[in-house]
Structure formats: structure tokens, C-alpha cells
Amino acid sequence: MCGICGVIHRQKDHPVEFNDVKRMCDVIRHRGPDDEGQFVQDNVGIGMRRLSIIDLSTGAQPIFNEDRSLAIVFNGEIYNHDDIRLELLAKGHQFRTKADTEAIIHAYEEWGVDCVEKLNGMFAFAIWDGRKQRLFLARDRIGIKPLYYYQDNDQLVFGSELKSIVQISSVPREIEPKALDTFLTFEYIPSPYSIFKNVFKLPPGHWMIYEDGQAKVRPYWNLEYQKSELSEKQLFQKFDELLEDAINIRLMSDVPLGAFLSGGLDSSTIVAMMRRRNESVKSFSIGFDDPTYNELPYARAVAEHFNTEHFEEIITPDVAHLTEKILWMLDEPFGDFSVFPTYLVSEMARKNVKVVLSGDGGDELLAGYDTYIAQKVAQRYAKLPSFLRKGMIEPIVNALPPTNKKKGFINKSKRFIEGARLSDHLQHVRWMIFMQSAEKEMLYSADFSDSLHGYNSFGFIEDYFRRSASDEPLDQQEYVDIKSYLVDDILVKVDRMSMANSLEARVPFLDHRFVEFAATLPGSLRLNGKRTKHILKASLERELPNQIINRGKEGFSIPIKNWMKNELKPMMLDSLSESNVREKGFFDPKFVNRLVDEHLKGEENHSHRLWALMVFHMWYDLYMKKEMA
């Protein structure tokens, strides 16, 4: 697990400075504290920071092919690299290390850009092909590992994190209005945008060739929903076999390994299947003093059930200090509160292991969110006569007084009714919209509104619905969530917060074989009535405690509403002060003041809106300064 970066100048007589590549590597040292390496030749410079997991003694990068005409820097893990190695050895390739990185470069040498189709793993890599004078970049199918790039008439700059790219002084730092608008709507920035104009994320399942000053981006993989012809018994058997194998191959490591254990179904499943090998398991859980946000009893029950070596902590963090550290590590404005517990559990785990398995992805593949149930209800609600919906139900719900209980019946009902007014495609994401268009109209300054030129922040969601290539609503909803929320929220959070602690997080549910298989399951095996993840629960009901199988879905969250009234209050008042908001020029200070005042008085719970605004203003101060290092 590493961080990678590089610069390619269009003209060969324009040499890359070694110090530029070194600086790009230094700023992502947290991704790889064990080693570093650079290759700089003429107009080409690539570099990396290494977290040593496999082949600790000889796996240093960059790695070259036999005649050193190819050089690679690589971030990730290739779990089937031994099989690829054997195939390449039979074709006459020579290896000098046992590292999975070397398998990639020889695979490229043998199969060209099609090498990516051979790889099972999480990856982002760059290969400099000296013979063809071209750079080859690729990102894994699901988007587990990040890869940013910037291109202008003179150069291409790439990196695992945005902070590497802006180390190059010629890369401009100009806010992309579309990205900021979408961030305030959904709390994350979707691919291919980044917060900076002309800096993009290479989309998942895509590769890029940069040659003769031109960049060509192409997809090599997409998720397709097609119903399997297997019997239900065969589907259950294959489900169990594929998931168990996905977990087993991710136990490949030359360093200590463990598992995140939240007490939810997905993380508990991973621990259960790790224990099938009769190996000891280290498990890691955190909780908070507030019992509403404390899942430790569930995690403890699973740990005791499987006799893991369990580590748990009740966290009372220095919230203000931690906020500044997290914002630096995130690269872009990011509003998902669960970055806090993800960072803290990663910090705790890193004291004991270098690799963890995480349960991310199960909700999107197997209809694990309550939103899938809500959308099922919405489809039935839409069939009610208009006089009943608009003449009776909606007026009654709208007249109910709001409460500060996010998950309370009244607030859920109001949001449900609001969503019923949206288009069919947008109704599914109603629960993920944190700032409505009407609110943004009051929030935005005139200049910022003008810069958007009528941009539709929901456009990427509507586009994914169109591209889902399935007539089944559940298939469409899962496809959208996998391509958007999973990639640019969940996986960003897990990558940045684990790597901030120099910890490698592996995600078995996102083995591409298992992902493709899940897309063949009948909807009733994913969402059976109101039972989410039906096939997973039915498969594991004999192994997991009943309280885990039958518990409702809980988010990995924090008491942010209260923190913003107490621990984070001084930081909020400073970052959202009238002078600071006016100076940056994006928002109306009076509207921001109103949100702050209503929240502090307890009249409204504006924690999502205020946190997003705080994040942006504090991020701006960190990343828009030219002296950032």
C-alpha cells in the first residue's frame, strides 16, 4: 500500500526537476512511511511512498522490467499476483522480486493495456513506457484506490492525493463551482470532478494513456445486472464460496492483520469467515460516551462469540485538533461525519496491526440501507389517488411540528413527502440530499450563483440511472449508489482515514468477482419484503448471534449536533464569522448567521449544513495557500 505521483512534460527538452517529485512524495508520507522511491529521466518523473506489506525486503519501487524500458509505481494490492506470475514465467518473463507490483509491469509488457483485466485487487498505478514514450495510468474496477490528474498544454501531473498535485507550482488552484455546489448538496464531490478546476479523478474501471501531449481515457469495466440461471440453492452456495474466497485471499500479508468490528452485519460476517480458517483474529471497535452513538455492546458480543483478540475504546477525542488534522488528510471538502470514528478506529488498530479487513460495500451490493425499503414504499405511495396524497396525507404531514430527532417518525415522514415531489430518478437519493435548491438559493452569493451557469447538481445521479441498463428499480438504485455514494463517499473516507494512520484497509465485499455475482441475484434475495441483505442474513444465521442478524441498520456516526454546540462551537463561530464568510465571497453571511443562531438556540438541527460550510471554509484556508506543504 502506497501513495504515487508523477509529472510528464510534453516536450522532451523540458526536464522534470527531481525536487518537484520529491516534494510530491513527501507530502503523502503518511501513505507510505516505510520507504520512498523516484525515477526521473528527461521530461519524466514518477515517485512513490511505500507502506511495506508484501515482500518487505525486495519490493521497493519504482520497479522495472528486464531491460528497464518500463518503470512502475503502484498503490494497492493484487491478490492473484502469484497466478499471474506463474503465467508470465511460462511465457519467459524474469522476476527479481516477490512483489505484486512486478507482476503488473510484466503483465503490461505481455498484454498491454488489457493487463488490467487480469488483476484482482485494489489498485492505482502508473507505468512509464520508455519505448513508446507514453504514460499508462489505471484505477481498479470499483474505485477503492484514488487517482487524481491535471493536464494542460505543457504537462500531465498525477497523484494518489490532491495535495501532491498542487505541489507543482504551475498547477492553478481555482475552485470548481460545480464541485462546490454538488458538495453542499450531497456532502461529497463525485467523479470525475475535484474541488479544483481542471483537476480530475480518473473514474473507477478506467485507464488513461498520455502520449504526444494528448490524454486518452477509456473504460475497461462496468457493472451489469443480469439475472442468473442458477437455482436458489446454487446461488446460496456460490454466494458463500465467493465471499469466503474474497476474504481468504485478502489475508495475504507479511505483517500483522486484523479486522474492523462495528457490530454490524457486514463486519461481523468478515470476522465469522476469518474464524472459519481457525486462525486467531484481532478485532477493533470504538464507541462514544453518548449511548445513542455507542455500538460497543454489539461488537463485544461478536468478539466474544468468535473469541477474537478484541480491542475497544470509549473515545473522548480532542475534537477541534482532530478536525484540523482530518481536513488536511481529506484533500477536498467532505461532509460525512463518520470520518471521525473511521479515523479513530484506524488510529487504534494501527497500534497493533498494519492491515485490516473492512465491511464496506455490503450495503450497496445487497440492499442494506433502509432507503431501499423506503423507495419500495414510495413506489406504492405514488399509486395512491392524487386526492388522497395531496389532499389529505401531505397536508397532515406538513403541518406536523419538526423535531430534533433525525430518525424520528415526523422528520422521516416530512422527508418522505418532500421526496415524493422529485422525479422518479431523484426520489431514491432524497435521503442523501443535505441542502435543497431553495436553501442554496438563499445561501449563495450573487457572484457564486452566476458562476454555476444553471448547473444541475443532480445531473450525475440522473446520468447513472440512465446508464444502469436494467429495468428493475432495485438494480438501478444499487448501480447508482455503487457508482456515486460508495465510490466518492464511503471509499474516500476509508482510504483517507486509514492511510492517514499508515494503515491498509482491505474490502472483501468489493472483490470484483463477488460484485459481479451480486448483480446476478434476484431482487428478492437482496431485499425480501422489508428484510434487507436477505441472502447474507440467511447464509450466516447459524454462525452469527441472533442480535446481529436481527438488528436494524445503524450508521457509523458521532454526536456532531452536540459537539457543534459545545466542543466545536468556537471553531464554528470563527470559521463562519460574518467577516470570514464575506471575505471568501461564496455565501450570504446573513443566511449563514441565521443557520448558526437557529442551531445554537435549539430551534433547528442544522448540523449537516453548518458542518459542510465549516469544512469548506477551513479547507479553503488550508489548501488555497501557495505555501501549503
Side-chain angles (χ1 to χ4, degrees), residues 3 33 84 88 136 154 194 206 231 266 274 297 318 338 347 391 394 436 485-486 495 539 577 585 595:
I84 296 172
L88 290 166
F136 178 57
D154 300 317
S194 85
H206 282 64
S231 68
D266 298 332
M274 290 173 73
D318 180 348
S338 61
E347 183 180 50
E394 293 180 14
Q436 301 287 347
Y485 178 66
L486 175 66
D495 173 80
S539 296
S577 68
L595 295 178

Side-chain angles (χ1 to χ4, degrees), residues 132-167:
K132 296 181 179 179
Q133 289 292 293
R134 75 180 187 185
L135 180 74
F136 178 57
L137 299 175
R139 189 178 180 198
D140 65 69
R141 294 168 180 84
I142 312 298
I144 303 167
K145 292 290 105 184
L147 192 57
Y148 292 86
Y149 68 93
Y150 165 82
Q151 181 190 6
D152 60 27
N153 292 331
D154 300 317
Q155 64 186 340
L156 179 89
V157 185
F158 69 88
S160 293
E161 297 188 9
L162 195 61
K163 58 178 69 69
S164 280
I165 290 178
V166 296
Q167 296 304 306

Side-chain angles (χ1 to χ4, degrees), residues 9 11 75 220 248 299 324 338 362 399 414 491 557 559 573-574 585:
H9 291 157
Q11 301 298 328
N75 170 30
Y220 67 87
N248 286 343
E324 293 178 350
S338 61
K414 285 179 173 291
L491 294 179
S557 195
L573 293 176
D574 179 57

